[in-house]
Amino acid sequence: MPKPATENLIEFLSNIPFFSEVTKSSLKHLTTVLERETFRKNKLVFEKGSVGEYMYIILSGSVKVHEKNHVFGHMHAGECFGEYALIDSNKRSASITTLEETHVLKIYREHFFQLISNDIGFSQGILSVLIKRHRNIDIIQENLASSKKALELANSKLSGLIDGAMDAIIMFDEKFRILLTNPSASVLFENNDVIQRNLLLFLDESSANRIQNLIKNDLNNDQPLSSNYLPDVIKVIGSHETETLNEGTISKWGDNVTSFYTLILRNIQDRLQAEDKIEFLTSQTEYLKEEIKELTSDHGIIAEDKSMKKVLQLVNKVASTNATVLINGETGTGKELVARAIHQLSDRKDKPLIRINCGAIPTNLIESELFGHEKGAFTGATATRKGRFLLADKGTIFLDEIGELPLELQPKLLRVIQEGEFDPVGSSETIKVDVRIIAATHRDLLQHVQDKKFREDLFYRLNVFPITVPPLRDRGNDICLIADHMIAEFSRELNRPINQLSKEDKAALINYNWPGNVRELQNLIERAIIISQNNSISWQSIIPQGGIEQEATTLQTSNTIYTAPELIEIEKANIERALKRTKWKISGENGAAKLLKLPPTTLASRIKALGIERPI
């Protein structure tokens, strides 16, 4: 048999927390004063700010608690709202609107007071509920106090962590207004009062654009931001115009309504400078290693002949100055040794002497070799390269075969001589250098000027202090002195003792014309010692005499005798075959010099001496 409606209602009311301590007899009295009302969907029950007189109990349906569009929560059947209207006449603190058709019970304030006054059981039940609520509030307050203390401790730890960080930490909103910084950020910005200032004002244009685009893409949901490492360097400009380079990360926090961002920056200025210094020293070390490999001799300058002594006198006079020196002389006379002597006697001797052969580098690469290039400046420029002039800063640069320098590059060299500055290939940055220039050539530069192959102004800038190195054939007994020294060196190096030169040997050396000068003498002596037998060498057979030159190796295997012109043609043809096979590459792993087992500088000299030219 179904329960009467009143009993069902009493049971329903007893499950409502506000009436949970009220006896059923008192709840029965309550049912006599309750009113019923039905609200349609999206109907406003009451509005925030209105004065209430009823408490509502939801029988069925649901409502939302809100202030305009902001929803605080939802309530369903078995819950009540508006209790404070029973005890005061204050304004409602929020609005109530139905989410669907909703049935409610409501009790009028005056009726509630009557029940309190007339029904002791009702008043005791309500009072018991209120006491329990009060106790719960006390417990909540105690928990809040404990939580507040724990929160303060956690906040203190977090503040210590943030304030003690060496990285700059900046929090800002979606309008780039700075909300919070740590001491490291104040140092970076050179400002202790940056709160509410625009973050972008402290960044250079490109860095500001990158940060602005990141936030814009995040707000538009094009590329939502969570935690991102910034791949590009961020440049910060402090209030005192100090510029620093930084790496950083950016992250987002907040809710769907408001977004906030945290930018963490680490100063990498010192690290970049250290990396740049390491790169510079590495480049310089690699260059010097190459130079050591390419040195044709370490015998120094041997001079007793007056013509060469005059050269040494000029070297001593000019070495202590910063004057530009132009060394003239035939190929193989030792122009590089003169340049090294000038450097070693100068105040720059503790700094590098950087050498470059202007005739041994392809035309399309020589500008990059001299002045360096930026990454991507041309096809194949996969990394930034420092040029020889920058490597020679505070030292000396030796421009060998300066007459081969392309005409279009000569103004740039002139600028370095006059202004001490240049622009690397592909860069708009002007670099200042302090370099002493020594140039050398076997050509008649003045004739080159008349032939429009060399700039007149550059010639006079280079020819401040000319030194002419005499050919070996004009140095008399120096030929024998140099030969004695080389024989001793190669004998020790190859572990092949050789008898001293006889008078006849010396006469043969002096009487030969030596078109290849000291370099030819060096090559001949090295070859002679290699093929020597029983500590003896037949120098008269090896040294070209009377226009006849015999290859020592040929003498041992064949009775054929070649004339000097024939030997020159044989050598020329052999070099041309090597060049064709290596596609006219002279130095390097796959170059003709390695194929012929010759130093690259020696091969370059022989190519010029023999008049070998690459076919067009």
Side-chain angles (χ1 to χ4, degrees):
M1 180 177 179
K3 293 181 181 179
T6 302
E7 289 186 19
N8 287 335
L9 183 57
I10 289 172
E11 188 173 343
F12 174 76
L13 292 172
S14 66
N15 291 319
I16 295 174
F18 193 74
F19 302 114
S20 61
E21 299 296 326
V22 178
T23 63
K24 289 190 176 182
S25 59
S26 296
L27 289 175
K28 187 174 182 180
H29 293 157
L30 175 62
T31 62
T32 62
V33 296
L34 289 174
E35 301 177 19
R36 291 175 181 265
E37 188 172 356
T38 298
F39 293 93
R40 296 188 308 276
K41 182 180 180 180
N42 296 327
K43 178 68 176 178
L44 182 68
V45 179
F46 58 73
E47 189 175 9
K48 178 183 177 181
S50 62
V51 178
E53 295 181 319
Y54 288 93
M55 182 186 83
Y56 297 84
I57 304 165
I58 302 175
L59 279 172
S60 63
S62 58
V63 300
K64 64 178 180 180
V65 184
H66 64 98
E67 180 180 351
K68 295 182 179 179
N69 294 328
H70 183 74
V71 177
F72 297 110
H74 301 91
M75 305 183 76
H76 306 278
E79 296 184 89
C80 55
F81 56 87
E83 300 102 311
Y84 290 115
L86 299 177
I87 58 176
D88 61 39
S89 299
N90 291 338
K91 294 179 179 180
R92 302 285 192 182
S93 59
S95 300
I96 302 289
T97 300
T98 60
L99 296 171
E100 57 186 314
E101 184 177 271
T102 303
H103 302 277
V104 300
L105 297 170
K106 59 182 185 177
I107 179 171
Y108 184 53
R109 182 168 54 219
E110 294 299 328
H111 295 156
F112 181 78
F113 284 151
Q114 287 174 8
L115 286 172
I116 291 290
S117 301
N118 299 330
D119 188 338
I120 187 67
F122 184 80
S123 61
Q124 285 180 338
I126 296 298
L127 184 60
S128 178
V129 170
L130 294 177
I131 289 173
K132 282 186 177 180
R133 285 190 175 184
H134 183 71
R135 286 175 178 169
N136 288 336
I137 289 173
D138 286 343
I139 293 171
I140 291 170
Q141 286 179 336
E142 289 178 4
N143 290 337
L144 283 174
S146 177
S147 298
K148 181 182 178 183
K149 186 175 181 180
L151 187 62
E152 288 175 349
L153 180 60
N155 185 59
S156 177
K157 290 179 179 178
L158 184 61
S159 296
L161 182 65
I162 293 174
D163 291 345
M166 296 181 67
D167 294 338
I169 302 175
I170 306 106
M171 295 181 183
F172 62 95
D173 62 17
E174 55 196 28
K175 294 184 179 180
F176 305 99
R177 289 176 301 197
I178 298 174
L179 306 176
L180 178 68
T181 60
N182 68 340
S184 294
S186 300
V187 173
L188 186 66
F189 291 146
E190 299 180 314
N191 196 319
N192 293 320
D193 184 24
V194 297
I195 304 302
Q196 293 299 316
R197 296 185 67 179
N198 193 311
L199 168 68
L200 303 181
L201 297 177
F202 292 94
L203 307 179
D204 77 325
E205 185 176 356
S206 60
S207 299
N209 288 339
R210 283 195 292 274
I211 299 295
Q212 196 169 21
N213 289 335
L214 276 174
I215 304 306
K216 180 181 177 182
N217 291 336
D218 175 67
L219 294 175
N220 294 336
N221 287 321
D222 294 335
Q223 290 179 320
L225 186 67
S226 53
S227 181
N228 286 45
Y229 172 74
L230 301 173
D232 297 312
V233 172
I234 301 297
K235 181 183 285 188
V236 174
I237 305 174
S239 295
H240 300 315
E241 301 299 325
T242 301
E243 296 184 1
T244 55
L245 302 179
N246 304 267
E247 64 180 359
T249 60
I250 188 168
S251 56
K252 176 185 177 182
W253 54 283
D255 52 31
N256 294 328
V257 179
T258 307
S259 297
F260 302 94
Y261 302 90
T262 301
L263 179 64
I264 301 177
L265 297 176
R266 174 171 294 178
N267 190 329
I268 55 173
Q269 191 91 20
D270 292 340
R271 192 183 80 193
L272 290 176
Q273 288 177 350
E275 289 176 353
D276 192 56
K277 183 67 174 177
I278 291 170
E279 181 185 352
F280 176 79
L281 292 175
T282 301
S283 299
Q284 192 177 76
T285 301
E286 290 176 354
Y287 168 78
L288 292 176
K289 285 180 179 178
E290 291 177 4
E291 283 296 286
I292 290 172
K293 290 179 182 178
E294 291 186 6
L295 287 178
T296 57
S297 174
D298 61 353
H299 308 300
I301 300 175
I302 298 174
E304 283 193 357
D305 186 79
K306 63 178 181 179
S307 63
M308 198 61 194
K309 282 186 175 182
K310 182 179 179 181
V311 169
L312 294 181
Q313 290 172 356
L314 294 174
V315 167
N316 288 322
K317 286 181 180 179
V318 77
S320 60
T321 72
N322 282 320
T324 302
V325 178
L326 178 61
I327 305 172
N328 296 280
E330 295 179 7
T331 299
T333 52
K335 296 187 291 295
E336 183 175 344
L337 292 179
V338 174
R340 291 185 181 278
I342 294 172
H343 176 73
Q344 288 300 321
L345 292 171
S346 73
D347 296 335
R348 300 171 182 260
K349 62 183 178 181
D350 295 327
K351 299 298 179 179
L353 168 64
I354 304 299
R355 172 188 173 275
I356 183 168
N357 189 325
C358 300
I361 300 174
T363 303
N364 60 330
L365 295 179
I366 190 166
E367 182 178 9
S368 171
E369 284 291 328
L370 284 171
F371 306 110
H373 64 253
E374 292 295 310
K375 180 179 179 181
F378 51 85
T379 302
T382 57
T384 299
R385 179 188 177 98
K386 298 184 185 300
R388 303 291 177 97
F389 268 99
L390 189 55
L391 291 174
D393 190 28
K394 304 295 188 298
T396 305
I397 190 166
F398 175 49
L399 303 174
D400 199 5
E401 301 300 348
I402 189 65
E404 313 306 317
L405 186 69
L407 196 60
E408 61 270 18
L409 281 185
Q410 293 179 21
K412 202 163 185 177
L413 176 58
L414 186 63
R415 180 187 174 196
V416 178
I417 298 173
Q418 292 177 326
E419 310 294 338
E421 62 183 29
F422 62 89
D423 300 332
V425 179
S427 172
S428 59
E429 179 186 5
T430 297
I431 295 178
K432 287 275 188 180
V433 288
D434 173 17
V435 177
R436 199 241 181 103
I437 296 175
I438 302 175
T441 183
H442 73 284
R443 297 190 180 277
D444 184 347
L445 283 189
L446 196 55
Q447 183 62 48
H448 262 36
V449 169
Q450 294 172 1
D451 295 340
K452 307 298 182 184
K453 295 181 179 179
F454 204 84
R455 291 179 62 103
E456 185 177 11
D457 49 2
L458 178 58
F459 169 73
Y460 288 114
R461 279 288 182 177
L462 292 172
N463 201 42
V464 173
F465 195 91
I467 296 177
T468 300
V469 182
L472 185 60
R473 60 182 171 273
D474 294 340
R475 292 175 58 182
N477 195 53
D478 279 359
I479 299 173
C480 299
L481 295 175
I482 296 171
D484 282 333
H485 183 75
M486 288 181 176
I487 290 169
E489 289 290 327
F490 283 123
S491 295
R492 182 168 56 252
E493 183 181 327
L494 300 173
N495 195 25
R496 284 174 175 263
I498 299 297
N499 296 330
Q500 290 185 342
L501 293 170
S502 66
K503 289 183 179 181
E504 292 78 9
D505 297 333
K506 292 181 179 180
L509 288 169
I510 292 174
N511 290 331
Y512 180 56
N513 194 44
W514 298 110
N517 292 291
V518 178
R519 189 173 291 121
E520 183 184 2
L521 175 62
Q522 175 190 346
N523 295 338
L524 184 143
I525 289 174
E526 183 177 10
R527 183 167 71 249
I529 293 176
I530 291 173
I531 65 173
S532 65
Q533 294 180 343
N534 301 322
N535 302 339
S536 179
I537 297 174
S538 176
W539 292 102
Q540 287 82 0
S541 301
I542 295 174
I543 300 170
Q545 294 186 29
I548 300 175
E549 179 179 357
Q550 277 186 310
E551 285 283 357
T553 53
T554 305
L555 285 172
Q556 295 180 11
T557 59
S558 172
N559 293 323
T560 304
I561 297 175
Y562 297 97
T563 64
E566 287 173 336
L567 282 173
I568 291 173
E569 286 302 317
I570 291 172
E571 182 184 11
K572 183 177 180 180
N574 189 52
I575 291 175
E576 286 178 341
R577 282 195 298 272
L579 289 170
K580 287 176 183 177
R581 183 175 299 179
T582 60
K583 297 181 180 180
W584 291 82
K585 181 180 179 182
I586 296 175
S587 58
E589 186 64 27
N590 299 316
K594 187 174 181 65
L595 189 63
L596 294 168
K597 295 184 179 181
L598 290 174
T601 51
T602 300
L603 178 57
S605 298
R606 294 305 299 150
I607 289 171
K608 288 176 183 176
L610 295 169
I612 298 173
E613 295 183 358
R614 183 173 183 173
I616 299 175

